[in-house]
């Protein structure tokens, strides 16, 4: 009878998961809560550690029990455990999807320097979705807007100390804060602070605390693919600009290996070209044979990518450059699976 009434007055009552009484659970929420709890217990993570910076431990307990489950909070829960959150629109309620769209809009506004609009819509968002969890999310957005405006939040010292002591993976909001912090330090030419910020993000993405990358406890591949390529490219370029080519190569290689093993192309070309620049300078300045050989392998990979995508101008440019380097022996040209002379004719 209850299902018949709900179906008859579906427009007024909303879909399952909306406008329900506290304590009324759907099968979706019970299953999701049970899965999250098993995931957390398998990794031996306490509710106190997991909920820090997201919500109260009691809210996490309620979510795991299927009560008052918010899929937005679930997203923060998953990213804190190093998991990717994909296809949100397929399992969220209409209200949650609307809320996520508003969040995406606010983030896009401050990232494109429309700070006044971002602040306006953030205030509207707070009025419409007032809760402890939403308040925490809004706080991070306000911090990011302040960083975009060129000033550190008053609480920055406490924020930094909490982030450096974080035993689990950063949520997306915490990562956004660190991205903006690195940009601010670059503008102020505070080199050591930039390096510390990038290093903290890199270290957290690779492995932290109880999340060592073994026995299935590490950050999942999808989550790493969302973070690591762009992070390593920016971090590697920064180290290159500071003349730390060996460090840059190590950082860039982390992301390149991940992308090649996953057969993903996004960021790969930029990473290979950046590593090539560093290897070139290592060879030129130190006659580092290992760097020279790595440069050769990267050049072959880049030429292969250009050939696949029909970018013959790039191929010709790379081959011409290689021909100018025959004074270093002809190792690179001999290993190419194409005839450079034929290409140049």
């Amino acid at each position: 009878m209850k299902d018949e009434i709900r179906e008859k007055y579906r427009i007024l009552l909303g879909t399952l998961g909306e406008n329900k009484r506290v304590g009324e659970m759907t099968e979706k929420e019970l299953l999701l809560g049970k899965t999250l709890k098993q995931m957390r217990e398998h990794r031996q993570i306490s509710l106190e550690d997991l909920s820090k910076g997201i919500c109260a431990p009691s809210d996490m307990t309620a979510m795991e029990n299927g009560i008052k489950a918010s899929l937005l909070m679930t997203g923060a829960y998953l990213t804190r455990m190093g998991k990717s959150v994909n296809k949100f629109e397929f399992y969220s309620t209409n209200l949650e999807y609307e809320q996520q769209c508003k969040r995406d809009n606010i983030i896009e506004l401050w990232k494109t320097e429309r700070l006044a609009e971002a602040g306006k819509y953030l205030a509207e968002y707070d009025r419409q979705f007032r809760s402890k969890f939403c308040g925490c999310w809004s706080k991070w957005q306000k911090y990011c807007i302040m960083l975009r405006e060129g000033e550190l939040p008053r609480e920055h010292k406490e924020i930094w100390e909490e982030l450096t002591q974080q035993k689990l993976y950063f949520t997306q909001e915490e990562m956004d804060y660190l991205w903006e912090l690195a940009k601010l330090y670059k503008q102020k030419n505070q080199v050591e602070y930039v390096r510390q910020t990038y290093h903290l993000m890199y270290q957290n993405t690779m492995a932290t605390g109880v999340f060592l990358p073994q026995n299935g406890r590490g950050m999942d591949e999808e989550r790493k693919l969302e973070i690591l390529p762009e992070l390593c490219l920016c971090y590697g370029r920064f180290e290159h600009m500071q003349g730390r080519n060996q460090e840059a190569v190590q950082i860039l290689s982390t992301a390149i290996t991940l992308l090649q093993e996953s057969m993903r192309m996004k960021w790969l070309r930029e990473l290979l070209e950046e590593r090539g620049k560093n290897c070139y300078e290592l060879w030129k300045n130190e006659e580092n044979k290992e760097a020279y050989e790595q440069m050769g392998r990267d050049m072959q990979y880049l030429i292969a990518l250009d050939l696949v995508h029909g970018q013959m101008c790039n191929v010709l440019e790379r081959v011409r450059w290689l021909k100018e380097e025959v004074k270093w022996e002809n190792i690179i040209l001999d290993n190419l699976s194409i005839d450079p002379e034929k290409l140049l004719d």
Side-chain angles (χ1 to χ4, degrees):
M1 185 68 180
K2 180 180 175 181
D3 291 338
E4 291 175 4
I5 293 172
R6 183 178 287 279
E7 179 60 29
K8 187 174 181 180
Y9 297 99
R10 179 169 52 84
I11 296 175
L12 293 175
L13 293 172
T15 58
L16 287 174
E18 294 180 9
N19 304 322
K20 61 181 183 294
R21 297 190 303 273
V22 173
E24 184 181 347
M25 295 166 280
T26 66
E27 288 185 16
K28 176 188 74 174
E29 290 169 330
L30 284 169
L31 180 60
L32 178 61
K34 185 178 179 181
T35 302
L36 292 171
K37 186 175 182 179
Q38 287 176 343
M39 192 185 299
R40 178 179 63 78
E41 290 178 345
H42 174 69
R43 288 164 175 73
Q44 300 175 7
I45 301 169
S46 70
L47 278 168
E48 288 72 19
D49 284 340
L50 191 60
S51 61
K52 191 172 183 181
I54 298 177
C55 61
S58 58
D59 293 329
M60 286 282 187
T61 303
M63 184 176 65
E64 289 184 348
N65 291 330
I67 302 171
K68 293 191 274 188
S70 163
L71 289 173
L72 293 169
M73 190 162 75
T74 303
Y77 186 114
L78 288 169
T79 53
R80 174 56 50 82
M81 289 201 293
K83 294 294 176 184
S84 176
V85 183
N86 293 321
K87 297 180 175 60
F88 180 89
E89 63 273 19
F90 290 115
Y91 61 84
S92 63
T93 65
N94 292 339
L95 182 63
E96 288 165 335
Y97 184 61
E98 178 192 357
Q99 193 173 351
Q100 184 63 49
C101 288
K102 288 182 183 296
R103 290 184 174 202
D104 292 342
N105 182 51
I106 291 166
I107 293 168
E108 180 65 23
L109 286 171
W110 61 253
K111 283 189 174 180
T112 54
E113 305 291 343
R114 295 153 70 184
L115 304 180
E117 283 184 77
K120 174 189 168 186
Y121 283 112
L122 186 57
E124 290 178 6
Y125 176 90
D126 285 339
R127 287 194 296 271
Q128 186 174 359
F129 303 103
R130 194 182 301 278
S131 73
K132 290 180 181 178
F133 174 58
C134 291
C136 181
W137 180 85
S138 298
K139 178 185 70 175
W140 284 109
Q141 306 316 306
K142 289 170 185 171
Y143 290 155
C144 287
I145 291 171
M146 290 181 70
L147 291 172
R148 279 272 162 154
E149 291 174 334
E151 57 181 289
L152 284 172
R154 194 181 311 167
E155 308 89 341
H156 171 69
K157 186 177 180 182
E158 291 78 11
I159 295 170
W160 179 261
E161 288 175 354
E162 285 188 11
L163 291 173
T164 55
Q165 293 167 14
Q166 176 60 260
K167 291 190 284 185
L168 304 179
Y169 289 108
F170 295 144
T171 63
Q172 186 58 51
E173 291 74 40
E174 291 165 337
M175 289 294 286
D176 284 343
Y177 181 83
L178 289 169
W179 273 115
E180 293 306 309
L181 185 62
K183 290 174 185 175
L184 177 63
Y185 285 144
K186 276 186 185 176
Q187 291 171 6
K188 295 185 174 183
N189 200 29
Q190 295 178 310
V191 173
E192 198 51 44
Y193 285 151
V194 178
R195 181 173 292 121
Q196 287 177 10
T197 307
Y198 277 143
H199 181 69
L200 179 60
M201 297 167 75
Y202 179 80
Q203 190 178 41
N204 185 273
T205 306
M206 296 306 296
T208 80
V210 298
F211 265 6
L212 296 175
Q214 56 190 9
N215 301 325
R217 295 186 180 185
M219 182 178 282
D220 72 1
E221 189 174 89
E222 285 300 316
R223 182 71 176 140
K224 273 194 176 178
L225 284 166
E226 289 170 5
I227 300 172
L228 208 58
E230 185 179 7
L231 172 59
C232 288
L233 182 62
C234 292
Y235 191 8
R237 280 176 175 166
F238 171 76
E239 293 290 39
H240 181 199
M241 289 175 64
Q242 304 306 314
R244 292 160 57 95
N245 295 311
Q246 193 65 57
E247 291 82 356
V249 168
Q250 291 173 357
I251 293 162
L252 294 162
S253 297
T254 304
I256 290 169
T257 301
L258 177 68
L259 290 171
Q260 289 177 334
E261 289 176 350
S262 306
M263 297 297 290
R264 304 294 180 92
M265 294 296 108
K266 188 177 181 182
W267 298 111
L268 184 56
R269 185 189 303 274
E270 294 92 332
L271 286 159
L272 286 167
E273 288 177 342
E274 185 64 29
R275 185 166 70 177
K277 293 175 189 174
N278 284 274
C279 287
Y280 176 81
E281 291 186 14
L282 283 171
W283 166 259
K284 187 177 179 182
N285 299 331
E286 304 174 20
E287 296 190 356
N288 186 318
K289 186 177 180 181
E290 184 180 340
Y292 174 66
E293 291 173 350
Q294 182 63 67
M295 182 180 63
R297 290 192 293 270
D298 287 350
M299 188 61 74
Q300 290 179 68
Y301 204 107
L302 284 165
I303 289 174
L305 285 177
D306 292 334
L307 286 169
V308 167
H309 292 96
Q311 297 176 342
M312 297 308 296
C313 290
N314 286 350
V315 174
L316 292 173
E317 186 179 337
R318 295 189 202 282
V319 171
R320 285 194 182 99
W321 183 84
L322 288 171
K323 284 182 69 68
E324 291 173 3
E325 304 304 330
V326 292
K327 59 187 177 183
W328 291 352
E329 302 174 15
N330 210 9
I331 298 171
I332 301 175
L333 292 176
D334 289 344
N335 288 333
L336 284 174
S337 56
I338 58 174
D339 183 357
E341 293 293 340
K342 192 172 182 181
L343 282 171
L344 290 171
D345 289 340

